[in-house]
């Protein structure tokens, strides 16, 4: 057990003695993760990842101040797994954050692993697999932290959880293999077959006239961002990503993958009709819209179950609420003295294997041999040198309590939702699309919106700020699962020496590494002697051979398909050895 009983009881008793402890409880979940079958869109039965034989998987619920324990047994048989509790700071427990190869080893089939942490943040969260490309196969569910002191608790009668998902008929493993391959040089992402509300379609929510409901909406999609609206009703936004906001009226929201909104909706006073609510997937994200795709999923607010469920009216123009205008209810002002500024220029491009990858500053993420946290814990004073984590983890070392700024220039015509683990950030600036790189002459809001996942617009930029007040290893990444797989990930190594002093990793975490044959000491390559020798580290494929361009690859692939240029293909393979060869790097 991570926290020994006496360690845990002592502070509790102290709190009790000072009369501060009201009802802090320990909430325990036993999760046996295994394959089950499901058909959420009514069109196709497929294997999905369930918990305790069930799918959809359970909601994790706790109250602010509780301790949460999740005992995971991996019964998948053929895949490793891990769980991330999206949006929770894991303050003091970075080893419970979940990303495999970052803060833990993936849990191999047959192994068990305990997550054990305190929840101090009220709000709407979710949990999902953080092992390569796995959550869209079904391992994703809501996580709700109740707040006895909510500023809005007197303003609604009931709360309703509403999750959005995009749904693929094929399994992620197959889709990933096709996505990152020579035959997909443009990096076109697989398009889902359907959209779901609450892991199904056509849901009815019985409502009572005059009552106010708080809808906790979570976008658990792999890729998609829906426009969301309730016909005949107005939403009042009161929480984004766990941050209470000043109430803001909205008729339509745009929710990127991983974002959450709590909205208050007051029902009409009569029961004359029922009302549709709709999520319509933003088709700008799709390179090619397959014929027959229905991007919409509908549900109904049902005032009278004897009356019809009306089809939603078509909306011709999407004009969603701009989250950049939200004001946190606590009034926290802009962090205006920046200690450390990081600029990320992000782009998508091909590497020598012909596949398409995503880059921050020309680096595409490749997971290290040793989980980054274990490198931080075992490299002594060298832990403050980003080199020990390996080039392809794209690591940045942050000093404790510095104000950190991330400037992200999106040199790509796509929209991307960026997420930082371990923190919420201020969105100090967000440009319009096509604004190009950030220029330091803008006016920033005095009280900026805070959240943990934010959209950057096509060829636009964002500026995010946070205080490095949470020692740990925290990923910064695009929350489109395809782009995680193609490398749009960087690593924040926050106060590593502090971790060496204070963090105790429980034995079952190392056991998972042992079971999976993964080294737990030394630099990213597992070298415990010469910490700056990264020979053998995992690295990305070589760059394209000189003279090849994306266009060239497209032409080449087209030629392959028409089977005319077999000779050129052989030359191609000869010119560029395929695969993530493990070779020395500095
Ligand atoms: C929801 O309703 C639509 C329209 O009637 C139908 O095509 C679809 O199959 C339904 N979905 C499910 C899961 O039953
Ligand atoms: C793992 O097992 C599931 C369920 O039997 C199967 O559908 C899936 O294809 C398997 N995955 C791999 C990578 O073999
Ligand atoms: C949606 O699913 C959650 C659990 O995931 C459940 O608590 C909630 O009641 C469902 N909402 C509706 C409207 O059915
Ligand atoms: C419902 O009735 C209440 C009380 O009379 C009133 O304040 C409210 O505006 C009405 N709501 C609507 C949507 O008409
Ligand atoms: C989905 O909804 C949008 C917005 O109302 C509409 O324009 C579109 O035609 C709908 N698509 C389908 C297949 O119903
Ligand atoms: C900021 O600088 C850019 C590029 O130099 C310029 O186009 C823009 O007008 C400037 N904006 C303001 C508010 O000065
Ligand atoms: C983490 O806890 C420390 C000590 O209580 C506190 O100073 C810091 O603000 C917390 N960080 C976050 C992100 O909540
Ligand atoms: Cu992305």
């Amino acid at each position: 057990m991570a926290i020994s009983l006496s360690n845990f009881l002592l502070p509790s008793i102290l709190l009790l003695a000072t009369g501060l402890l009201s009802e802090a409880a320990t909430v325990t979940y036993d999760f046996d993760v295994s394959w089950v079958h499901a058909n959420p869109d009514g069109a196709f039965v497929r294997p999905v990842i369930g918990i305790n034989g069930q799918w959809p998987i359970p909601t994790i619920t706790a109250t602010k101040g509780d301790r949460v324990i999740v005992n995971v047994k991996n019964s998948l048989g053929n895949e490793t797994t891990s769980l991330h509790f999206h949006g929770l700071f894991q303050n003091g427990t970075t080893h419970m954050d979940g990303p495999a190869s970052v803060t833990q080893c993936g849990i191999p089939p047959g192994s068990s692993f305990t997550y054990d942490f305190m929840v101090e943040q009220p709000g709407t969260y979710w949990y999902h697999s953080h092992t390569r490309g796995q959550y869209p196969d079904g391992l994703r569910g809501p996580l709700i932290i109740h707040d006895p002191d909510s500023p809005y608790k007197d303003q609604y009668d009931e709360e309703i959880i509403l999750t959005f998902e995009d749904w693929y008929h094929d399994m992620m493993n197959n889709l990933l293999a096709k996505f990152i391959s020579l035959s997909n040089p443009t990096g076109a992402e697989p398009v889902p077959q359907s959209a779901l509300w609450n892991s199904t379609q056509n849901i009815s929510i019985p409502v009572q006239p005059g009552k106010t409901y708080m809808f906790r909406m979570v976008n658990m999609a792999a890729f998609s961002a829906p426009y969301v609206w309730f016909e005949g009703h107005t939403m009042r936004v009161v929480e984004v990503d766990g941050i209470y906001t000043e109430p803001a009226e909205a008729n339509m929201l745009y929710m990127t993958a991983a974002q959450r909104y709590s909205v208050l909706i007051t029902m009409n006073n009569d029961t004359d009709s029922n009302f549709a609510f709709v999520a319509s997937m933003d088709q700008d994200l799709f390179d090619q819209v397959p014929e027959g795709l229905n991007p919409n999923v509908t549900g109904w607010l049902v005032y009278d179950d004897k009356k019809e469920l009306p089809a939603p009216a078509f909306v011709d123009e999407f004009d969603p609420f701009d989250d950049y205008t939200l004001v946190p209810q606590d009034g926290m002002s802009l962090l205006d003295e920046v200690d450390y500024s990081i600029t990320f220029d992000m782009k998508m491009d091909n590497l020598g294997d012909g596949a398409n990858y995503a880059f921050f500053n020309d680096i595409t993420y490749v997971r290290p041999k040793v989980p980054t946290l274990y490198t931080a814990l075992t490299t002594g004073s060298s832990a403050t040198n980003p080199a020990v984590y390996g080039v392809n983890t794209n690591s940045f070392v942050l000093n404790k309590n510095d104000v950190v700024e991330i400037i992200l220039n999106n040199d790509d015509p796509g929209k991307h939702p960026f997420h930082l683990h371990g923190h919420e950030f201020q969105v100090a600036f967000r440009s319009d699309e096509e604004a190009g790189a950030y220029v330091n002459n803008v006016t920033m809001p005095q009280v900026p919106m805070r959240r943990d996942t934010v959209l950057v617009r096509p060829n636009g930029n964002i500026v995010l700020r946070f205080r490095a007040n949470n020692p740990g290893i925290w990923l910064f990444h695009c929350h489109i699962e395809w782009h995680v797989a193609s490398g749009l990930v960087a690593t924040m190594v926050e106060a590593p020496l502090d971790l060496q002093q204070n963090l105790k990793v429980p034995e079952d975490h190392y056991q998972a590494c042992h079971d999976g044959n993964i080294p737990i000491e030394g630099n990213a390559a597992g070298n415990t002697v010469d910490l700056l020798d990264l020979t053998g580290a995992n690295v990305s494929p070589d760059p394209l051979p000189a003279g090849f361009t994306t266009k060239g690859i497209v032409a080449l692939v087209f030629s392959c398909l028409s089977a005319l240029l077999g000779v050129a293909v052989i030359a191609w393979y000869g010119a560029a050895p395929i695969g993530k060869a493990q070779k020395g790097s500095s």
Side-chain angles (χ1 to χ4, degrees):
M1 191 93 326
I3 303 171
S4 81
L5 205 56
S6 59
N7 279 353
F8 183 66
L9 277 181
L10 192 59
S12 310
I13 289 165
L14 288 178
L15 278 175
L16 206 61
T18 55
L20 286 173
L21 188 75
S22 46
E23 291 158 58
T26 299
V27 183
T28 304
Y29 290 90
D30 294 322
F31 283 174
D32 190 356
V33 179
S34 71
W35 293 103
V36 298
H37 284 84
N39 181 9
D41 64 0
F44 192 78
V45 180
R46 51 154 288 179
V48 301
I49 300 179
I51 287 180
N52 303 335
Q54 304 266 305
W55 193 88
I57 62 174
T59 298
I60 294 180
T61 311
T63 300
K64 188 176 71 173
D66 284 354
R67 175 185 182 185
V68 174
I69 298 178
V70 184
N71 297 308
V72 177
K73 165 118 213 287
N74 180 359
S75 298
L76 290 170
N78 61 4
E79 292 188 15
T80 61
T81 193
S82 70
L83 291 182
H84 169 57
F85 307 89
H86 183 115
L88 297 188
F89 299 155
Q90 296 290 3
N91 197 346
T93 49
T94 187
H95 54 305
M96 302 297 176
D97 193 44
S101 307
V102 181
T103 57
Q104 66 168 90
C105 296
I107 311 165
S111 290
S112 295
F113 188 103
T114 295
Y115 296 94
D116 182 344
F117 51 88
M118 305 297 293
V119 287
E120 307 294 348
Q121 306 159 255
T124 309
Y125 303 90
W126 61 303
Y127 70 103
H128 61 82
S129 164
H130 217 301
T131 289
R132 190 172 197 257
Q134 197 175 53
Y135 80 76
D137 281 339
L139 193 47
R140 51 183 171 187
L143 188 171
I144 307 298
I145 311 296
H146 289 288
D147 184 6
D149 312 315
S150 163
Y152 296 111
K153 66 172 184 294
D154 298 331
Q155 295 188 29
Y156 62 90
D157 300 289
E158 279 177 45
E159 55 178 75
I160 296 172
I161 302 167
L162 199 52
T163 62
F164 173 84
E165 300 88 11
D166 48 9
W167 193 246
Y168 292 85
H169 289 169
D170 204 353
M171 316 268 295
M172 284 304 279
N173 248 315
N174 299 335
L175 292 170
L176 280 166
K178 287 183 217 154
F179 171 58
I180 302 180
S181 80
L182 174 60
S183 61
N184 183 29
T186 61
E189 298 84 1
V191 174
Q193 273 67 44
S194 46
L196 307 176
W197 271 132
N198 250 30
S199 303
T200 182
Q201 294 178 330
N202 310 317
I203 57 172
S204 284
I205 305 182
V207 294
Q208 287 175 7
K211 273 197 172 176
T212 299
Y213 295 84
M214 183 166 82
F215 287 81
R216 293 182 180 272
M217 296 198 284
V218 186
N219 183 358
M220 307 199 300
F223 181 20
S224 306
Y227 297 96
V228 174
W229 67 96
F230 289 76
E231 291 191 347
H233 297 74
T234 306
M235 298 177 267
R236 260 193 310 149
V237 178
V238 293
E239 181 222 323
V240 278
D241 298 357
I243 307 297
Y244 291 122
T245 65
E246 293 297 342
E249 290 214 344
N251 290 313
M252 182 183 281
L253 295 176
Y254 183 79
M255 291 178 72
T256 75
Q259 287 186 330
R260 291 90 62 208
Y261 283 90
S262 284
V263 299
L264 302 182
I265 306 181
T266 300
M267 297 302 126
N268 298 334
N269 288 329
D270 61 71
T271 58
D272 294 350
S273 50
N274 300 320
F275 291 86
F277 61 91
V278 185
S280 183
M281 297 190 287
D282 175 5
Q283 299 186 62
D284 289 355
L285 289 173
F286 306 153
D287 282 17
Q288 213 175 15
V289 180
E291 205 169 322
L293 173 74
N294 183 355
N296 306 326
V297 59
T298 304
W300 286 273
L301 301 178
V302 179
Y303 286 77
D304 180 348
D305 61 11
K306 289 179 195 64
K307 295 207 164 78
E308 64 153 357
L309 302 176
F314 284 149
V315 168
D316 349 290
E317 211 190 335
F318 296 114
D319 184 16
F321 175 81
D322 182 1
D323 62 329
Y324 187 57
T325 62
L326 286 170
V327 177
Q329 196 250 353
D330 61 16
M332 180 183 164
S333 56
L334 178 72
L335 295 164
D336 56 1
E337 293 198 12
V338 174
D339 299 301
Y340 182 43
S341 182
I342 299 169
T343 298
F344 285 130
D345 291 315
M346 67 148 283
K347 64 166 191 191
M348 318 297 241
D349 204 354
N350 299 87
L351 287 176
D353 61 355
N356 195 276
Y357 292 87
F359 303 80
F360 283 132
N361 303 341
D362 297 320
I363 294 173
T364 187
Y365 184 89
V366 180
R367 64 181 182 183
K369 284 188 170 166
V370 177
T372 302
L373 174 62
Y374 301 159
T375 293
L377 292 176
T378 58
T379 48
S381 58
S382 296
T384 57
N385 182 347
V388 299
Y389 304 102
V391 173
N392 283 98
T393 62
N394 216 344
S395 286
F396 293 78
V397 175
L398 311 183
N399 294 324
K400 196 167 179 185
N401 288 326
D402 270 6
V403 171
V404 179
E405 172 181 79
I406 295 176
I407 297 170
L408 192 149
N409 298 317
N410 177 9
D411 304 333
D412 177 83
K415 301 173 185 172
H416 301 269
F418 279 95
H419 171 49
L420 175 63
H421 290 221
H423 292 276
E424 73 211 14
F425 44 69
Q426 296 185 329
V427 181
F429 183 69
R430 172 166 62 198
S431 80
D432 288 336
E433 60 183 71
E434 304 305 326
Y438 174 66
V439 180
N440 188 2
N441 63 354
V442 302
T443 308
M444 293 179 171
Q446 284 178 337
V447 181
M449 161 181 62
R450 298 201 309 281
R451 61 187 317 165
D452 62 43
T453 307
V454 70
L455 180 79
V456 62
R457 298 194 171 112
N459 292 114
N461 61 71
I462 45 176
V463 180
L464 313 178
R465 289 183 183 171
F466 61 97
R467 191 176 290 282
N469 57 6
N470 188 11
I473 310 298
W474 310 117
L475 289 187
F476 177 73
H477 64 93
C478 175
H479 218 291
I480 290 175
E481 194 64 349
W482 305 115
H483 300 166
V484 173
S486 63
L488 203 44
V489 180
T491 310
M492 302 291 143
V493 177
E494 187 169 327
L497 301 183
D498 197 285
L499 293 174
Q500 291 176 8
Q501 271 180 357
N502 297 317
L503 203 70
K504 290 266 171 299
V505 177
E507 208 37 55
D508 65 325
H509 288 211
Y510 292 129
Q511 187 62 39
C513 307
H514 184 257
D515 295 349
N517 248 323
I518 296 169
I520 55 171
E521 283 181 308
N523 66 20
N527 191 329
T528 55
V529 180
D530 184 350
L531 297 174
L532 295 180
D533 179 1
L534 275 293
T535 306
N538 295 342
V539 295
S540 49
D542 288 329
L544 271 180
F548 276 99
T549 61
T550 303
K551 265 193 192 148
I553 298 173
V554 176
L556 185 64
V557 169
F558 185 76
S559 309
C560 296
L561 291 179
S562 54
L564 287 173
L565 280 180
V567 177
V569 176
I570 290 159
W572 161 264
Y573 275 98
I578 308 284
K580 296 186 179 184
Q582 315 212 323
K583 54 146 211 210
S585 73
S586 85

